[in-house]
Amino acid sequence: MPNNGDFLPSAPRRPLVLFVAFPGMCMLDMAGPQTVFWCADRHMRQRGQAGYARHTVSVEGGPVQTLEGVPMHTEALADFDLAGVDTIIVPGAPNIEQVVQHAQPLVDWLRAAAPGTRRTTSVCSGAFVLAQAGLLDGKRAATHWRLCDRLKELHPKVEIDRDAIFTHQDRVWTSAGVTAGIDLALALVEADCGRDLALAVARELVVFVKRPGGHAQFSALLQSQLRDGDKFEELHLWITNNLGEENLTVEALARRVLMSPRNFSRVYKDTTGRTPAKAVEMFRLEAARRMLEESGRNIDQIARECGFGDEARMRQCFQRNLSESPSAYRERARAA
């Protein structure tokens, strides 16, 4: 990714960013990205760049009531030439399925606008709107962790990334729940303007410049607790306290819960949505991330303490799950 941005310094016009509103949307889904782009626009102007043209829109225009009861002024979609749209950002809502049922004009507009738009994005459950328009078929997508199963059920052609803070494939970007929209917006700004400007925006807003797209939505232990309650709680606590042991095999874990390996693998996958091996990997990954962020240990030492065995195996795990190396992750954490 070039540090000077992909297109903005030489662009003849201000890129048009449309924030798409609908009744009952979550205000933070909208306000978070809006604030990021507002701040980025100000920093760009200070550097002599054109900045962004930013508009909040809806199907008919006029005031749109948010979930929190705050009306938001919008312009009509019809007021904008599709050929001039650069980025579309769609927020989410708790009752997104009901929203989609009554949002056919918006879905049709998205289906028509997306092919000519450089980026079409969603925040949280806004992914359901993009999926309804067919924009996520065959693509990786993120949404709020509570809604992953439902999105897959309604749209089986979508490849759900349950752990990602945000995803990017072709022209489509999606983010996880609520505040992840800020991470997404910062990533968009960084893609446009380079890391230095994105970092300046993040500092002003007092947020991480950008959690990596593959950064888990929340901790592996918390995720396991939320998904399976008390069923494997003791096992998960034991795993976190014994990550340095390299032989955390299915057989070893099955013995801890007094089950046969075959039955344990089946029940664990049905209960948690992950294989035992993947769960152990995520616990190790989280521990390694924490050490990289908070300690001065060298990477090989962290790899051994977290049970990876050596730096090479830990690097493979980071690349597979976070799309970056442990050293790059540490640099990001320190910069933030």
Side-chain angles (χ1 to χ4, degrees):
M1 182 183 298
N3 286 333
N4 64 345
D6 286 347
F7 72 99
L8 291 179
S10 60
R13 60 179 178 81
R14 299 173 67 196
L16 175 60
V17 182
L18 297 184
F19 301 91
V20 182
F22 51 80
M25 67 181 178
C26 179
M27 187 165 65
L28 186 53
D29 285 4
M30 181 73 87
Q34 283 178 324
T35 303
V36 169
F37 276 92
W38 163 80
C39 190
D41 177 80
R42 191 163 57 80
H43 280 276
M44 292 165 69
R45 290 172 179 273
Q46 290 173 354
R47 300 181 184 199
Q49 298 174 352
Y52 293 103
R54 297 163 287 112
H55 295 268
T56 304
V57 298
S58 65
V59 172
E60 298 181 354
V64 173
Q65 194 85 344
T66 65
L67 169 70
E68 295 79 3
V70 178
M72 188 172 290
H73 175 73
T74 69
E75 301 169 74
L77 290 173
D79 292 344
F80 296 87
D81 181 3
L82 293 182
V85 179
D86 179 83
T87 301
I88 298 169
I89 298 178
V90 181
N95 62 332
I96 192 65
E97 290 186 52
Q98 288 76 21
V99 168
V100 170
Q101 289 175 4
H102 299 90
Q104 194 58 48
L106 173 58
V107 170
D108 292 341
W109 181 86
L110 280 171
R111 190 179 293 119
T117 300
R118 188 167 65 94
R119 296 180 300 210
T120 302
T121 75
S122 65
V123 178
C124 194
S125 61
F128 282 71
V129 185
L130 269 58
Q132 187 67 22
L135 304 182
L136 301 184
D137 288 354
K139 292 183 172 59
R140 289 176 57 239
T143 187
H144 193 286
W145 61 270
R146 286 187 184 274
L147 299 173
C148 288
D149 290 340
R150 186 59 175 161
L151 181 59
K152 185 65 175 179
E153 180 181 348
L154 293 175
H155 302 282
K157 294 182 180 180
V158 180
E159 181 183 341
I160 309 298
D161 192 329
R162 297 174 180 273
D163 295 317
I165 289 293
F166 63 84
T167 65
H168 170 209
Q169 186 172 351
D170 301 329
R171 297 183 176 188
V172 179
W173 300 60
T174 61
S175 84
V178 194
T179 58
I182 296 174
D183 297 280
L184 171 66
L186 283 168
L188 297 174
V189 168
E190 182 175 344
D192 292 345
C193 309
R195 182 170 176 80
D196 289 345
L197 193 140
L199 181 59
V201 172
R203 285 172 174 163
E204 182 165 342
L205 300 182
V206 197
V207 295
F208 284 98
V209 62
K210 177 165 69 72
R211 289 180 285 180
H215 196 301
Q217 292 194 36
F218 43 75
S219 75
L221 181 59
L222 175 58
Q223 182 171 13
S224 298
Q225 291 171 337
L226 289 169
R227 288 184 65 92
D228 57 43
D230 296 332
K231 192 174 186 68
F232 291 112
E233 181 178 2
E234 290 187 10
L235 176 64
H236 292 147
L237 291 174
W238 181 83
I239 292 173
T240 59
N241 289 327
N242 293 273
L243 289 174
E245 298 187 16
E246 292 188 42
N247 62 335
L248 296 181
T249 61
V250 170
E251 291 75 15
L253 300 181
R255 286 195 296 271
R256 295 291 306 180
V257 293
L258 304 178
M259 299 172 69
S260 70
R262 182 176 180 179
N263 189 43
F264 168 68
S265 294
R266 179 184 60 79
V267 174
Y268 192 91
K269 177 68 181 299
D270 291 344
T271 303
T272 69
R274 285 177 174 158
T275 65
K278 185 63 177 179
V280 170
E281 180 180 72
M282 296 308 294
F283 281 118
R284 284 179 168 150
L285 177 65
E286 182 179 334
R289 281 183 17 235
R290 194 161 54 243
M291 289 184 186
L292 289 168
E293 294 167 2
E294 301 174 0
S295 79
R297 297 181 181 90
N298 64 52
I299 292 177
D300 190 62
Q301 182 181 2
I302 291 174
R304 292 194 305 273
E305 291 186 17
C306 293
F308 289 105
D310 55 44
E311 181 179 346
R313 288 173 60 188
M314 186 169 84
R315 187 184 309 114
Q316 291 173 356
C317 176
F318 268 67
Q319 290 290 354
R320 182 166 55 248
N321 291 282
L322 304 182
S323 299
E324 65 178 351
S325 67
S327 57
Y329 181 91
R330 172 172 267 174
E331 290 176 6
R332 282 188 181 277
R334 289 178 173 175

